[in-house]
Amino acid sequence: AAYPAADSTTTMTDVASLTFGTGDLSGSPETTSGDISEDGSRILVRTYSRVFLFLRYPWGSVADALLGEVYQVPQPAEPQGETVAFAPDALSYTTVSEGTGPSIYTMSAVVP
C-alpha cells in the first residue's frame, strides 16, 4: 500500500499471489507471520513449518521480491511456528511457537 497521509484513506491493491505448501514453498500451506528488514532489502514469511527468505533489490518492489528467488532458512523444531521478526542487522531472526511458555529462538538468515 502507498504510504498514507494522516487524514486520508489508502486502498490496497493485489500485486502478487503466492501458494505455500507446494514446490519451492513446500511445507504448511498456512502463513502465520512475516517481516521486512529495516532497510527493506529482505523479507521473511513464516508458515507453521518453515521460514522463507526473499531478497529485495533496490530497484525492485516487494511484489518483485516475493515473485523472485526464495530461500528456506533454518528454523527450530517447533510444534506450531507462529511468528518471525528480523534482528536489527537483518542477518538473523527470532521465532516463537504458540502455547504456554514456548522457547524463543534466534536463527541465522544468511544465505549463499
Side-chain angles (χ1 to χ4, degrees), residues 52-100:
F52 299 98
L53 173 71
F54 302 85
L55 301 179
R56 181 176 173 219
Y57 298 101
W59 60 86
S61 67
V62 171
D64 292 337
L66 293 175
L67 295 174
E69 190 166 2
V70 59
Y71 300 90
Q72 285 189 32
V73 291
Q75 74 275 343
E78 294 175 305
Q80 188 168 328
E82 286 292 335
T83 192
V84 67
F86 275 111
D89 67 4
L91 298 178
S92 62
Y93 65 92
T94 301
T95 183
V96 65
S97 184
E98 71 175 13
T100 302

